[in-house]
Every structure is written in structure tokens, then in C-alpha cells.
Coordinates of all heavy atoms in Angstrom, one line a residue:
M1 N -13.1 -5.5 34.8 CA -13.4 -5.8 33.4 C -12.4 -4.9 32.6 O -12.1 -3.8 32.9 CB -14.8 -5.2 33.1 CG -15.5 -6.0 32.0 SD -17.2 -5.6 31.8 CE -17.2 -4.4 30.4
S2 N -11.9 -5.6 31.6 CA -10.9 -4.9 30.7 C -11.5 -3.9 29.7 O -12.6 -4.1 29.4 CB -10.0 -5.9 30.0 OG -10.8 -6.7 29.2
K3 N -10.8 -2.9 29.4 CA -11.2 -1.9 28.4 C -11.4 -2.6 27.1 O -10.7 -3.4 26.7 CB -10.2 -0.8 28.3 CG -10.1 0.2 29.4 CD -9.2 1.3 29.0 CE -8.8 2.2 30.1 NZ -7.8 3.1 29.6
P4 N -12.4 -2.1 26.3 CA -12.6 -2.6 25.0 C -11.4 -2.2 24.1 O -10.8 -1.1 24.4 CB -13.9 -1.9 24.5 CG -14.1 -0.8 25.4 CD -13.4 -1.1 26.7
K5 N -11.1 -3.1 23.2 CA -9.9 -2.8 22.4 C -10.2 -1.7 21.4 O -11.3 -1.5 20.9 CB -9.5 -4.1 21.6 CG -8.8 -5.0 22.6 CD -8.5 -6.3 22.0 CE -7.9 -7.2 23.0 NZ -8.2 -8.6 22.8
T6 N -9.2 -0.9 21.1 CA -9.3 0.2 20.1 C -9.3 -0.4 18.7 O -8.9 -1.6 18.5 CB -8.1 1.2 20.1 OG1 -7.0 0.6 19.8 CG2 -8.0 1.8 21.6
Q7 N -9.6 0.4 17.7 CA -9.7 -0.1 16.3 C -8.3 -0.6 15.9 O -8.2 -1.7 15.3 CB -10.1 1.0 15.3 CG -11.6 1.1 15.2 CD -11.9 2.2 14.1 OE1 -11.7 3.4 14.4 NE2 -12.4 1.8 13.0
L8 N -7.3 0.2 16.2 CA -5.9 -0.2 15.9 C -5.4 -1.4 16.5 O -4.7 -2.3 15.9 CB -5.0 1.0 16.2 CG -3.5 0.9 15.6 CD1 -3.6 0.7 14.1 CD2 -2.7 2.0 16.0
Q9 N -5.8 -1.6 17.8 CA -5.5 -2.8 18.4 C -6.2 -4.1 17.8 O -5.5 -5.1 17.7 CB -5.9 -2.7 20.0 CG -4.9 -1.9 20.7 CD -5.5 -1.6 22.1 OE1 -6.7 -1.6 22.4 NE2 -4.6 -1.2 23.1
Q10 N -7.4 -3.9 17.4 CA -8.2 -4.9 16.8 C -7.5 -5.3 15.5 O -7.4 -6.5 15.1 CB -9.6 -4.6 16.5 CG -10.4 -4.6 17.8 CD -11.8 -4.1 17.6 OE1 -12.4 -4.5 16.6 NE2 -12.3 -3.2 18.5
L11 N -7.1 -4.2 14.7 CA -6.5 -4.4 13.4 C -5.2 -5.2 13.5 O -4.9 -6.2 12.8 CB -6.2 -3.1 12.8 CG -5.7 -3.0 11.3 CD1 -6.8 -3.6 10.4 CD2 -5.4 -1.6 11.0
A12 N -4.4 -4.8 14.6 CA -3.1 -5.5 14.8 C -3.3 -7.0 15.1 O -2.7 -7.8 14.5 CB -2.4 -4.9 16.0
E13 N -4.3 -7.3 15.9 CA -4.6 -8.7 16.3 C -5.1 -9.4 15.1 O -4.7 -10.7 15.0 CB -5.6 -8.7 17.4 CG -4.9 -8.3 18.7 CD -5.9 -8.4 19.9 OE1 -6.9 -9.0 19.8 OE2 -5.4 -8.0 21.0
Q14 N -5.8 -8.8 14.2 CA -6.3 -9.5 13.0 C -5.2 -9.8 12.1 O -5.2 -10.9 11.5 CB -7.5 -8.6 12.3 CG -8.8 -8.7 13.0 CD -9.8 -7.8 12.5 OE1 -9.5 -7.2 11.4 NE2 -10.9 -7.6 13.1
Y15 N -4.3 -8.9 12.0 CA -3.2 -9.1 11.1 C -2.3 -10.3 11.7 O -1.9 -11.2 11.0 CB -2.3 -7.9 10.9 CG -1.0 -8.3 10.1 CD1 -1.1 -8.9 8.9 CD2 0.2 -8.0 10.8 CE1 0.1 -9.3 8.3 CE2 1.4 -8.4 10.1 CZ 1.3 -9.0 9.0 OH 2.5 -9.5 8.3
I16 N -2.1 -10.2 12.9 CA -1.3 -11.3 13.6 C -1.9 -12.7 13.4 O -1.3 -13.6 13.0 CB -1.0 -11.0 15.1 CG1 -0.2 -9.8 15.3 CG2 -0.5 -12.2 15.8 CD1 -0.2 -9.2 16.6
D17 N -3.3 -12.7 13.5 CA -4.0 -13.9 13.3 C -3.9 -14.4 11.9 O -3.6 -15.6 11.6 CB -5.5 -13.8 13.6 CG -5.8 -13.8 15.1 OD1 -5.0 -14.2 15.8 OD2 -7.0 -13.5 15.3
L18 N -4.1 -13.5 10.9 CA -3.9 -13.8 9.5 C -2.6 -14.4 9.2 O -2.4 -15.4 8.6 CB -4.2 -12.5 8.7 CG -4.0 -12.7 7.1 CD1 -5.2 -13.3 6.5 CD2 -3.7 -11.4 6.5
Y19 N -1.5 -13.7 9.7 CA -0.1 -14.2 9.4 C 0.0 -15.6 9.9 O 0.6 -16.5 9.2 CB 0.9 -13.3 10.1 CG 2.3 -13.6 9.8 CD1 2.8 -13.3 8.5 CD2 3.0 -14.3 10.7 CE1 4.1 -13.8 8.3 CE2 4.3 -14.7 10.4 CZ 4.9 -14.4 9.2 OH 6.1 -14.8 8.9
H20 N -0.3 -15.8 11.2 CA -0.1 -17.2 11.7 C -1.0 -18.3 11.2 O -0.7 -19.4 11.2 CB -0.3 -17.1 13.3 CG 0.9 -16.4 13.9 ND1 2.2 -16.9 13.9 CD2 1.1 -15.2 14.5 CE1 3.0 -16.1 14.4 NE2 2.4 -15.0 14.7
T21 N -2.1 -17.9 10.6 CA -3.0 -18.9 9.8 C -2.1 -19.5 8.8 O -2.2 -20.7 8.5 CB -4.2 -18.2 9.1 OG1 -5.0 -17.6 10.1 CG2 -5.0 -19.1 8.3
Y22 N -1.2 -18.8 8.1 CA -0.4 -19.3 7.0 C 1.0 -19.6 7.4 O 1.6 -20.5 6.8 CB -0.4 -18.3 5.9 CG -1.8 -18.1 5.4 CD1 -2.6 -17.0 5.7 CD2 -2.5 -19.1 4.5 CE1 -3.9 -16.9 5.3 CE2 -3.7 -19.0 4.2 CZ -4.5 -17.9 4.5 OH -5.8 -17.7 4.1
S23 N 1.5 -19.0 8.5 CA 2.9 -19.4 8.9 C 2.9 -20.6 9.7 O 3.9 -21.3 9.8 CB 3.6 -18.1 9.6 OG 3.0 -18.0 10.9
G24 N 1.8 -20.9 10.3 CA 1.9 -22.0 11.3 C 2.8 -21.7 12.4 O 2.9 -20.7 12.9
N25 N 3.6 -22.8 12.7 CA 4.6 -22.6 13.8 C 5.9 -22.2 13.2 O 6.9 -22.0 14.0 CB 4.8 -23.9 14.5 CG 3.5 -24.4 15.2 OD1 2.8 -23.5 15.8 ND2 3.2 -25.7 15.3
S26 N 6.1 -22.1 12.0 CA 7.4 -21.8 11.4 C 7.8 -20.4 11.5 O 9.0 -20.1 11.3 CB 7.4 -22.3 9.9 OG 6.6 -21.4 9.2
D27 N 6.9 -19.5 11.7 CA 7.1 -18.0 11.9 C 7.7 -17.4 10.6 O 8.3 -16.4 10.6 CB 8.1 -17.8 13.0 CG 7.5 -16.9 14.0 OD1 6.3 -16.8 14.0 OD2 8.3 -16.4 14.9
S28 N 7.4 -18.0 9.4 CA 7.7 -17.4 8.2 C 6.8 -18.1 7.1 O 6.3 -19.2 7.4 CB 9.2 -17.4 7.8 OG 9.6 -18.9 7.5
L29 N 6.6 -17.4 6.0 CA 5.9 -18.0 4.8 C 6.8 -18.4 3.8 O 7.6 -17.6 3.2 CB 4.9 -17.0 4.3 CG 3.8 -16.3 5.1 CD1 2.8 -15.7 4.2 CD2 3.1 -17.4 6.0
D30 N 6.7 -19.7 3.3 CA 7.5 -20.1 2.2 C 6.5 -19.8 1.0 O 5.4 -19.4 1.2 CB 7.9 -21.6 2.3 CG 6.8 -22.5 2.5 OD1 5.6 -22.2 2.2 OD2 7.1 -23.7 2.8
K31 N 7.1 -20.2 -0.2 CA 6.2 -19.9 -1.4 C 4.9 -20.6 -1.4 O 3.9 -20.1 -1.9 CB 7.1 -20.4 -2.7 CG 8.0 -19.2 -3.2 CD 8.4 -19.4 -4.5 CE 9.2 -18.2 -5.0 NZ 9.9 -18.5 -6.3
Q32 N 4.9 -21.8 -0.9 CA 3.7 -22.6 -0.9 C 2.6 -21.9 0.0 O 1.5 -21.9 -0.3 CB 4.0 -24.0 -0.4 CG 2.9 -25.0 -0.7 CD 2.6 -25.1 -2.1 OE1 3.5 -25.1 -3.0 NE2 1.3 -25.3 -2.4
A33 N 3.1 -21.5 1.2 CA 2.2 -20.9 2.1 C 1.7 -19.5 1.6 O 0.5 -19.1 1.7 CB 2.9 -20.6 3.5
F34 N 2.6 -18.8 0.9 CA 2.2 -17.6 0.3 C 1.2 -17.8 -0.8 O 0.2 -17.0 -0.9 CB 3.5 -16.9 -0.2 CG 3.3 -15.6 -0.9 CD1 2.9 -14.5 -0.1 CD2 3.5 -15.4 -2.2 CE1 2.7 -13.3 -0.7 CE2 3.3 -14.1 -2.8 CZ 2.9 -13.1 -2.1
K35 N 1.3 -18.8 -1.6 CA 0.4 -19.2 -2.7 C -0.9 -19.4 -2.0 O -2.0 -18.9 -2.5 CB 0.9 -20.4 -3.4 CG -0.1 -20.8 -4.4 CD 0.6 -22.1 -5.2 CE -0.2 -22.6 -6.3 NZ -1.0 -23.7 -6.0
K36 N -1.0 -20.2 -0.9 CA -2.3 -20.5 -0.3 C -3.0 -19.2 0.3 O -4.1 -19.1 0.1 CB -1.9 -21.5 0.9 CG -3.2 -22.1 1.6 CD -2.8 -23.2 2.6 CE -3.9 -24.1 3.0 NZ -4.7 -23.5 4.1
M37 N -2.1 -18.4 0.9 CA -2.7 -17.1 1.4 C -3.3 -16.3 0.3 O -4.5 -15.8 0.4 CB -1.6 -16.3 2.0 CG -2.1 -14.9 2.8 SD -0.8 -14.1 3.6 CE -0.2 -13.1 2.2
L38 N -2.6 -16.1 -0.9 CA -3.2 -15.4 -2.0 C -4.5 -16.0 -2.5 O -5.5 -15.3 -2.7 CB -2.2 -15.2 -3.1 CG -0.9 -14.3 -2.8 CD1 -0.1 -14.1 -4.1 CD2 -1.3 -13.0 -2.3
E39 N -4.5 -17.4 -2.6 CA -5.6 -18.1 -3.1 C -6.8 -17.9 -2.3 O -8.0 -17.7 -2.8 CB -5.3 -19.5 -3.3 CG -4.5 -19.9 -4.5 CD -4.0 -21.3 -4.6 OE1 -4.3 -22.1 -3.6 OE2 -3.3 -21.7 -5.6
E40 N -6.5 -17.9 -0.9 CA -7.7 -17.9 0.0 C -8.2 -16.4 0.2 O -9.3 -16.1 0.4 CB -7.3 -18.5 1.3 CG -7.3 -20.0 1.1 CD -6.9 -20.8 2.3 OE1 -6.8 -20.2 3.4 OE2 -6.7 -22.0 2.3
Q41 N -7.2 -15.4 0.2 CA -7.6 -14.1 0.6 C -8.0 -13.3 -0.7 O -8.7 -12.3 -0.5 CB -6.3 -13.4 1.2 CG -6.0 -14.0 2.5 CD -7.1 -14.0 3.5 OE1 -7.8 -13.1 3.7 NE2 -7.3 -15.2 4.2
F42 N -7.5 -13.8 -1.8 CA -8.1 -13.2 -3.1 C -8.6 -14.4 -4.0 O -8.0 -14.7 -5.0 CB -6.9 -12.5 -3.8 CG -6.2 -11.5 -3.2 CD1 -5.0 -11.7 -2.3 CD2 -6.7 -10.2 -3.2 CE1 -4.4 -10.8 -1.7 CE2 -6.1 -9.2 -2.4 CZ -5.0 -9.4 -1.6
P43 N -9.8 -14.9 -3.6 CA -10.3 -16.1 -4.3 C -10.7 -16.0 -5.8 O -10.7 -16.9 -6.4 CB -11.6 -16.4 -3.5 CG -12.0 -15.1 -2.7 CD -10.7 -14.4 -2.6
D44 N -10.8 -14.7 -6.2 CA -11.1 -14.5 -7.7 C -10.0 -14.4 -8.6 O -10.0 -14.2 -9.8 CB -12.1 -13.3 -7.9 CG -11.6 -12.0 -7.1 OD1 -10.6 -12.2 -6.4 OD2 -12.3 -11.1 -7.3
T45 N -8.7 -14.6 -8.0 CA -7.5 -14.6 -8.7 C -7.5 -15.8 -9.6 O -7.6 -16.9 -9.1 CB -6.3 -14.6 -7.8 OG1 -6.4 -13.5 -7.0 CG2 -5.0 -14.5 -8.6
D46 N -7.2 -15.6 -10.9 CA -7.2 -16.8 -11.8 C -5.8 -17.5 -11.8 O -4.9 -16.9 -11.2 CB -7.7 -16.5 -13.2 CG -6.5 -15.8 -14.0 OD1 -5.5 -16.5 -14.3 OD2 -6.7 -14.7 -14.4
E47 N -5.8 -18.6 -12.3 CA -4.5 -19.5 -12.1 C -3.7 -19.6 -13.4 O -3.1 -20.6 -13.7 CB -4.9 -20.8 -11.6 CG -4.9 -20.9 -10.0 CD -3.7 -20.4 -9.4 OE1 -2.5 -20.9 -9.6 OE2 -3.7 -19.4 -8.6
S48 N -3.9 -18.6 -14.3 CA -3.1 -18.7 -15.6 C -1.6 -18.5 -15.4 O -1.2 -18.2 -14.3 CB -3.6 -17.5 -16.5 OG -3.2 -16.3 -15.8
P49 N -0.8 -19.0 -16.2 CA 0.7 -18.9 -16.1 C 1.1 -17.5 -15.8 O 2.0 -17.3 -15.1 CB 1.2 -19.4 -17.5 CG 0.1 -20.3 -18.0 CD -1.2 -19.7 -17.5
L50 N 0.4 -16.5 -16.4 CA 0.8 -15.2 -16.2 C 0.6 -14.7 -14.7 O 1.5 -14.1 -14.1 CB 0.0 -14.2 -17.1 CG 0.4 -12.7 -16.9 CD1 1.7 -12.5 -17.4 CD2 -0.7 -11.9 -17.8
K51 N -0.5 -15.2 -14.1 CA -0.7 -14.9 -12.7 C 0.3 -15.6 -11.8 O 0.7 -15.0 -10.9 CB -2.2 -15.4 -12.3 CG -3.3 -14.4 -12.9 CD -3.4 -13.2 -12.1 CE -4.6 -12.4 -12.8 NZ -4.7 -11.1 -12.0
Q52 N 0.6 -16.8 -12.2 CA 1.7 -17.5 -11.4 C 2.9 -16.8 -11.3 O 3.7 -16.7 -10.4 CB 1.9 -18.9 -11.9 CG 0.7 -19.9 -11.6 CD 1.0 -21.2 -12.2 OE1 2.1 -21.7 -12.3 NE2 -0.2 -21.9 -12.5
Q53 N 3.2 -16.3 -12.6 CA 4.5 -15.5 -12.8 C 4.5 -14.3 -11.9 O 5.4 -13.9 -11.2 CB 4.6 -15.2 -14.2 CG 6.1 -14.8 -14.6 CD 6.1 -14.3 -16.0 OE1 5.3 -14.7 -17.0 NE2 7.1 -13.4 -16.4
K54 N 3.3 -13.6 -11.9 CA 3.1 -12.4 -11.0 C 3.2 -12.7 -9.6 O 3.8 -11.9 -8.9 CB 1.7 -11.8 -11.3 CG 1.7 -10.9 -12.6 CD 0.4 -10.1 -12.6 CE 0.4 -9.1 -13.7 NZ -0.8 -8.6 -14.0
R55 N 2.7 -13.9 -9.2 CA 2.7 -14.2 -7.7 C 4.2 -14.5 -7.4 O 4.6 -14.1 -6.3 CB 1.9 -15.5 -7.6 CG 1.7 -15.9 -6.1 CD 0.9 -17.1 -6.0 NE 1.5 -18.2 -6.7 CZ 0.8 -19.1 -7.5 NH1 -0.6 -19.0 -7.6 NH2 1.3 -20.1 -8.0
D56 N 5.0 -15.1 -8.2 CA 6.4 -15.3 -8.0 C 7.1 -14.1 -7.9 O 7.9 -13.9 -7.0 CB 7.0 -16.2 -9.0 CG 6.6 -17.7 -8.9 OD1 6.1 -18.1 -7.8 OD2 6.9 -18.5 -9.8
Q57 N 6.8 -13.1 -8.8 CA 7.4 -11.8 -8.8 C 7.1 -11.1 -7.5 O 7.9 -10.4 -6.9 CB 6.9 -11.1 -10.0 CG 7.7 -9.8 -10.4 CD 7.1 -9.1 -11.5 OE1 6.3 -9.6 -12.3 NE2 7.5 -7.8 -11.6
L58 N 5.9 -11.2 -7.0 CA 5.4 -10.5 -5.8 C 6.2 -11.1 -4.6 O 6.6 -10.3 -3.7 CB 3.8 -10.7 -5.7 CG 3.1 -9.9 -4.7 CD1 3.1 -8.5 -5.1 CD2 1.6 -10.4 -4.6
F59 N 6.3 -12.4 -4.7 CA 7.1 -13.0 -3.5 C 8.6 -12.5 -3.5 O 9.1 -12.2 -2.4 CB 7.1 -14.5 -3.8 CG 7.6 -15.3 -2.6 CD1 6.8 -15.8 -1.6 CD2 9.0 -15.6 -2.6 CE1 7.4 -16.6 -0.6 CE2 9.6 -16.3 -1.5 CZ 8.8 -16.8 -0.5
E60 N 9.2 -12.5 -4.7 CA 10.6 -12.0 -4.8 C 10.7 -10.6 -4.3 O 11.6 -10.2 -3.6 CB 11.1 -12.1 -6.2 CG 11.0 -13.5 -6.9 CD 11.8 -14.6 -6.1 OE1 12.7 -14.2 -5.4 OE2 11.4 -15.7 -6.2
E61 N 9.8 -9.8 -4.7 CA 9.8 -8.4 -4.3 C 9.6 -8.2 -2.7 O 10.2 -7.4 -2.2 CB 8.7 -7.5 -5.0 CG 9.1 -7.2 -6.4 CD 7.9 -6.7 -7.2 OE1 6.9 -6.2 -6.6 OE2 7.9 -6.6 -8.5
A62 N 8.7 -9.0 -2.2 CA 8.4 -9.0 -0.8 C 9.6 -9.5 0.1 O 9.7 -9.1 1.2 CB 7.1 -9.7 -0.5
D63 N 10.3 -10.4 -0.5 CA 11.3 -11.1 0.3 C 12.6 -10.1 0.2 O 13.6 -10.3 -0.5 CB 11.6 -12.4 -0.4 CG 12.7 -13.2 0.4 OD1 13.0 -12.9 1.6 OD2 13.2 -14.2 -0.2
I64 N 12.5 -9.1 1.1 CA 13.5 -8.1 1.1 C 15.0 -8.6 1.5 O 16.0 -8.3 0.8 CB 13.3 -7.0 2.3 CG1 11.8 -6.5 2.1 CG2 14.3 -5.9 2.3 CD1 11.7 -5.5 1.0
N65 N 15.1 -9.5 2.4 CA 16.5 -10.1 2.7 C 16.8 -11.3 1.9 O 17.8 -11.9 2.2 CB 16.6 -10.4 4.2 CG 15.6 -11.5 4.6 OD1 14.8 -12.0 3.9 ND2 15.8 -11.9 5.8
K66 N 16.0 -11.6 0.9 CA 16.3 -12.7 -0.1 C 16.6 -14.1 0.6 O 17.6 -14.7 0.2 CB 17.5 -12.3 -1.0 CG 17.1 -11.0 -1.8 CD 16.0 -11.1 -2.7 CE 15.6 -9.8 -3.3 NZ 14.2 -9.7 -3.7
D67 N 15.9 -14.4 1.6 CA 16.3 -15.7 2.3 C 15.1 -16.8 1.8 O 15.2 -17.9 2.3 CB 16.2 -15.6 3.8 CG 14.9 -15.2 4.4 OD1 13.9 -14.9 3.6 OD2 14.7 -15.3 5.6
G68 N 14.4 -16.4 0.8 CA 13.5 -17.5 0.3 C 12.2 -17.7 1.1 O 11.4 -18.6 0.9
K69 N 12.0 -16.8 2.1 CA 10.8 -16.9 3.0 C 10.3 -15.6 3.4 O 11.2 -14.6 3.3 CB 10.9 -17.7 4.2 CG 12.3 -18.3 4.5 CD 12.4 -19.1 5.7 CE 13.6 -18.6 6.4 NZ 14.1 -19.4 7.5
L70 N 9.1 -15.4 3.6 CA 8.5 -14.1 4.1 C 8.3 -14.0 5.6 O 7.6 -14.8 6.1 CB 7.2 -13.8 3.3 CG 7.3 -13.8 1.8 CD1 6.0 -13.4 1.3 CD2 8.4 -12.9 1.3
S71 N 9.0 -13.1 6.2 CA 8.9 -12.9 7.6 C 7.6 -12.1 7.9 O 6.9 -11.6 7.1 CB 10.1 -12.0 8.2 OG 10.0 -10.7 7.6
F72 N 7.3 -12.0 9.2 CA 6.2 -11.2 9.7 C 6.3 -9.7 9.2 O 5.2 -9.2 8.6 CB 6.2 -11.2 11.2 CG 5.0 -10.6 11.8 CD1 3.8 -11.3 12.0 CD2 5.0 -9.4 12.3 CE1 2.7 -10.7 12.5 CE2 4.0 -8.7 12.9 CZ 2.8 -9.4 13.0
A73 N 7.4 -9.1 9.3 CA 7.5 -7.8 8.8 C 7.5 -7.7 7.3 O 6.9 -6.8 6.7 CB 8.9 -7.2 9.2
E74 N 8.0 -8.6 6.5 CA 7.9 -8.6 5.1 C 6.5 -8.7 4.7 O 6.2 -8.0 3.6 CB 8.8 -9.7 4.5 CG 10.3 -9.4 4.6 CD 11.2 -10.5 4.3 OE1 10.7 -11.7 4.3 OE2 12.4 -10.3 4.0
V75 N 5.7 -9.6 5.2 CA 4.3 -9.8 4.8 C 3.5 -8.5 5.2 O 2.7 -7.9 4.5 CB 3.6 -11.0 5.4 CG1 2.2 -11.0 5.1 CG2 4.3 -12.3 5.0
G76 N 3.9 -7.9 6.4 CA 3.3 -6.7 6.8 C 3.4 -5.5 5.8 O 2.5 -4.7 5.6
R77 N 4.7 -5.5 5.2 CA 4.9 -4.4 4.2 C 3.9 -4.6 3.0 O 3.5 -3.6 2.5 CB 6.4 -4.5 3.7 CG 7.4 -4.0 4.7 CD 8.8 -4.3 4.2 NE 9.1 -3.7 2.9 CZ 9.9 -2.6 2.7 NH1 10.6 -2.2 3.7 NH2 10.0 -2.1 1.5
L78 N 3.8 -5.8 2.6 CA 2.9 -6.2 1.5 C 1.4 -5.8 1.9 O 0.7 -5.3 1.0 CB 3.0 -7.7 1.3 CG 2.7 -8.2 -0.1 CD1 3.7 -7.6 -1.1 CD2 2.9 -9.8 -0.1
V79 N 1.0 -6.1 3.1 CA -0.4 -5.8 3.5 C -0.6 -4.3 3.6 O -1.6 -3.7 3.1 CB -0.6 -6.5 4.9 CG1 -2.0 -5.9 5.5 CG2 -0.7 -8.0 4.8
A80 N 0.5 -3.6 4.0 CA 0.4 -2.0 4.0 C 0.2 -1.5 2.7 O -0.5 -0.6 2.4 CB 1.7 -1.5 4.7
K81 N 1.0 -2.1 1.8 CA 0.9 -1.7 0.3 C -0.5 -2.0 -0.2 O -1.1 -1.1 -0.9 CB 1.9 -2.4 -0.5 CG 2.2 -1.9 -1.8 CD 3.3 -2.7 -2.5 CE 3.3 -2.4 -4.0 NZ 3.6 -3.7 -4.8
F82 N -1.1 -3.1 0.1 CA -2.4 -3.5 -0.4 C -3.4 -2.5 0.3 O -4.4 -2.1 -0.4 CB -2.7 -4.9 0.1 CG -4.1 -5.4 -0.1 CD1 -4.7 -5.5 -1.4 CD2 -5.0 -5.5 0.9 CE1 -6.0 -5.8 -1.7 CE2 -6.3 -5.8 0.7 CZ -6.8 -6.0 -0.6
I83 N -3.3 -2.2 1.5 CA -4.1 -1.3 2.2 C -4.1 0.1 1.5 O -5.1 0.8 1.2 CB -3.9 -1.2 3.7 CG1 -4.3 -2.5 4.4 CG2 -4.7 0.0 4.3 CD1 -3.8 -2.6 5.8
A84 N -2.9 0.6 1.2 CA -2.7 1.9 0.6 C -3.4 1.9 -0.8 O -4.0 2.8 -1.2 CB -1.2 2.2 0.4
E85 N -3.2 0.8 -1.6 CA -3.9 0.7 -2.9 C -5.4 0.6 -2.8 O -6.0 1.2 -3.7 CB -3.3 -0.6 -3.7 CG -1.9 -0.5 -4.2 CD -1.3 -1.9 -4.6 OE1 -2.0 -2.9 -4.6 OE2 -0.2 -1.9 -4.9
T86 N -5.9 -0.1 -1.8 CA -7.3 -0.1 -1.6 C -7.8 1.3 -1.3 O -8.9 1.7 -1.8 CB -7.7 -1.1 -0.5 OG1 -7.1 -2.3 -0.8 CG2 -9.2 -1.2 -0.3
H87 N -7.1 2.0 -0.5 CA -7.5 3.3 -0.1 C -7.5 4.2 -1.4 O -8.5 5.0 -1.5 CB -6.5 3.9 0.9 CG -6.8 5.3 1.4 ND1 -5.9 6.3 1.5 CD2 -8.0 5.8 1.8 CE1 -6.5 7.3 2.0 NE2 -7.8 7.0 2.2
E88 N -6.5 4.1 -2.2 CA -6.4 4.9 -3.5 C -7.7 4.6 -4.4 O -8.3 5.6 -4.9 CB -5.2 4.5 -4.2 CG -4.0 5.4 -3.9 CD -4.2 6.9 -3.9 OE1 -4.7 7.4 -5.0 OE2 -4.0 7.6 -2.9
K89 N -8.0 3.4 -4.5 CA -9.2 2.9 -5.3 C -10.5 3.5 -4.8 O -11.3 4.0 -5.5 CB -9.3 1.4 -5.3 CG -8.4 0.8 -6.4 CD -8.7 -0.8 -6.4 CE -7.5 -1.5 -7.0 NZ -7.4 -2.9 -6.6
L90 N -10.6 3.5 -3.4 CA -11.8 4.0 -2.8 C -12.0 5.6 -2.9 O -13.1 6.0 -2.9 CB -11.9 3.6 -1.3 CG -12.1 2.1 -1.0 CD1 -12.0 1.8 0.5 CD2 -13.4 1.6 -1.5
R91 N -10.8 6.2 -3.0 CA -10.9 7.7 -3.2 C -11.4 8.1 -4.5 O -11.8 9.2 -4.8 CB -9.6 8.2 -2.9 CG -9.3 8.3 -1.4 CD -7.8 8.5 -1.2 NE -7.2 9.5 -2.0 CZ -6.3 10.4 -1.5 NH1 -6.0 10.5 -0.3 NH2 -5.7 11.3 -2.3
K92 N -11.2 7.2 -5.6 CA -11.6 7.6 -6.9 C -13.1 7.5 -7.2 O -13.9 6.8 -6.5 CB -10.9 6.6 -7.9 CG -9.4 7.0 -8.0 CD -8.7 6.1 -8.9 CE -7.1 6.4 -8.7 NZ -6.4 5.3 -9.3
Ligands
CA101 CA1 12.8 -12.9 3.8

């Protein structure tokens, strides 16, 4: 019988699953896939023009190598930032 997975191993697998839900077989997220991810993972986000502008800005910031798509590592940085922000909020 294999050992139960540690919390960190489970977290890694969940992130990998999440990423591939939106990247499909392409191994990167384009703007459309990124939009879908934000809509589904943050369902209470409104769709005002301002929010769309923010989403585009978020995409540009996350796209470190400026190739117009988000790699596994680029989305990982965004998720790490989100986790850090959530942690900050919870500490208050
Ligand atoms: Ca990129």
C-alpha cells in the first residue's frame, strides 16, 4: 500500500489539475482560457468594463516573457500571490 500523500503533495496535485483544466493540451493559457479560469474560480467577479480592463492588466503582468500566453510557472506565480493575499486578509 502506498503512503498517504502529504498536504504539500496534495496541494501540488490540485494546482496541476487546476492548471490543466484551463490549459487543456496546449500547456499554456491564452487570454480566453485565463478569462474562463477567473470567471469560474472567482464567480462573484462582475463583468463591467473596468473589471475587463483589470483582467487584461492582470494577464499582461502575469505574462513575464510577453509571449501572449501564460505558462504553468507564470500562473503559479499568480496563484502564489493570491495565496499570500488571502493569508494577509485572514490575519487581519
Ligand atoms: Ca508567457
Side-chain angles (χ1 to χ4, degrees):
M1 213 171 97
S2 61
K3 280 187 195 173
K5 287 176 180 150
T6 68
Q7 271 183 297
L8 189 58
Q9 286 167 335
Q10 289 177 40
L11 189 65
E13 287 184 7
Q14 283 175 9
Y15 171 59
I16 292 165
D17 278 351
L18 176 79
Y19 184 78
H20 287 292
T21 298
Y22 298 102
S23 70
N25 296 324
S26 69
D27 241 14
S28 64
L29 299 193
D30 59 14
K31 272 196 179 171
Q32 197 57 38
F34 182 63
K35 178 176 183 267
K36 190 171 194 278
M37 182 177 88
L38 292 187
E39 282 171 358
E40 291 180 2
Q41 299 302 317
F42 300 97
D44 47 358
T45 303
D46 80 63
E47 274 304 303
S48 65
L50 182 65
K51 287 281 179 183
Q52 284 179 34
Q53 199 184 334
K54 276 192 175 166
R55 187 177 61 219
D56 284 347
Q57 196 182 341
L58 195 62
F59 187 94
E60 303 301 333
E61 283 170 16
D63 187 12
I64 305 286
N65 67 352
K66 303 294 170 207
D67 66 351
K69 4 178 228 199
L70 300 184
S71 68
F72 186 79
E74 286 169 341
V75 176
R77 287 171 60 111
L78 210 56
V79 171
K81 194 173 162 223
F82 171 70
I83 292 170
E85 285 169 3
T86 304
H87 185 227
E88 273 308 305
K89 276 185 205 156
L90 291 175
R91 281 163 44 140
K92 282 173 191 166

